[in-house]
Amino acid sequence: YAAYLSGRPHNDMPIARETLTVVTGVDERTQKAYEQRAGIAATSNFCIGERLASDDAQAQAWAHRGQGAFKLTDKKGKQGTPGQTYLAWQMPNSYQTKQQKPCPRGKQRRVNRELKVLLYKTAAGNSSSPENHQRHYYPNGGDAARAYGRNHEPVYWQRGGKGLKVWHELR
């Protein structure tokens, strides 16, 4: 489980627990136990949407995120004018792992042979192959804008921070 998380190409990007269950076959409760035992740190991610209009705030929340949305008042003015209220919601977590030890040289040939068999038998041609996977999370706004132009689905770009990550939606 930890090896999968550390081996992801963009391991600081959010991934839902449901996706981890599908990929690894490990249910949510066991994932949390594995994370605690392996020293995997989960980082909460939140997305800040558009500014809320006072008269139809509830309608805006239901139109975008349903019950998971909440009002965020920007008291310090980090998003714009201080005191403005925005629509916000929690996104999937990001996971940081310890660096995994590389395979010993003596086992490398056997491990590579097994991985090659897995690649050709399980990932070739089905929806879990990397070619068919669409990214939704990007490290900056430029990459997100280029991706949005290609597939017209909501994409997210990150604005730094330690501990808590703030994302913005391009819809």
Side-chain angles (χ1 to χ4, degrees):
Y1 180 77
Y4 170 75
L5 288 176
S6 66
R8 291 177 58 221
H10 304 283
N11 60 357
D12 60 337
M13 297 297 164
I15 184 166
R17 288 210 183 267
E18 289 177 351
T19 304
L20 288 172
T21 300
V22 169
V23 171
T24 64
V26 178
D27 69 337
E28 291 183 27
R29 178 178 256 168
T30 308
Q31 288 174 19
K32 291 176 184 178
Y34 285 174
E35 289 163 14
Q36 186 176 19
R37 189 167 187 183
I40 299 170
T43 303
S44 298
N45 295 296
F46 291 89
C47 185
I48 299 175
E50 73 248 15
R51 198 171 65 208
L52 282 175
S54 60
D55 55 342
D56 63 342
Q58 187 175 9
Q60 276 182 285
W62 276 107
H64 288 282
R65 296 290 154 205
Q67 296 178 9
F70 59 93
K71 292 180 185 179
L72 175 73
T73 303
D74 184 18
K75 294 178 182 175
K76 294 183 179 180
K78 291 191 176 193
Q79 303 299 318
T81 310
Q84 292 289 335
T85 303
Y86 296 90
L87 181 68
W89 57 92
Q90 187 169 5
M91 296 173 55
N93 291 338
S94 301
Y95 301 93
Q96 290 77 36
T97 62
K98 298 175 186 173
Q99 193 68 352
Q100 300 297 316
K101 293 179 186 175
C103 181
R105 296 285 290 166
K107 286 186 176 181
Q108 190 170 7
R109 186 175 291 160
R110 181 179 58 81
V111 169
N112 285 343
R113 194 176 326 121
E114 290 176 16
L115 289 174
K116 186 176 179 181
V117 170
L118 282 174
L119 174 71
Y120 289 118
K121 282 191 174 180
T122 59
N126 65 24
S127 63
S128 67
S129 65
E131 299 86 31
N132 296 331
H133 179 68
Q134 292 193 354
R135 263 180 81 189
H136 296 285
Y137 306 106
Y138 295 89
N140 59 53
D143 291 346
R146 282 188 288 282
Y148 178 74
R150 284 193 301 266
N151 59 16
H152 298 291
E153 290 185 15
V155 294
Y156 301 91
W157 59 279
Q158 178 182 3
R159 198 171 82 195
K162 291 190 177 185
L164 175 75
K165 292 186 180 178
V166 177
W167 295 78
H168 298 277
E169 181 182 42
L170 194 61
R171 192 174 262 278

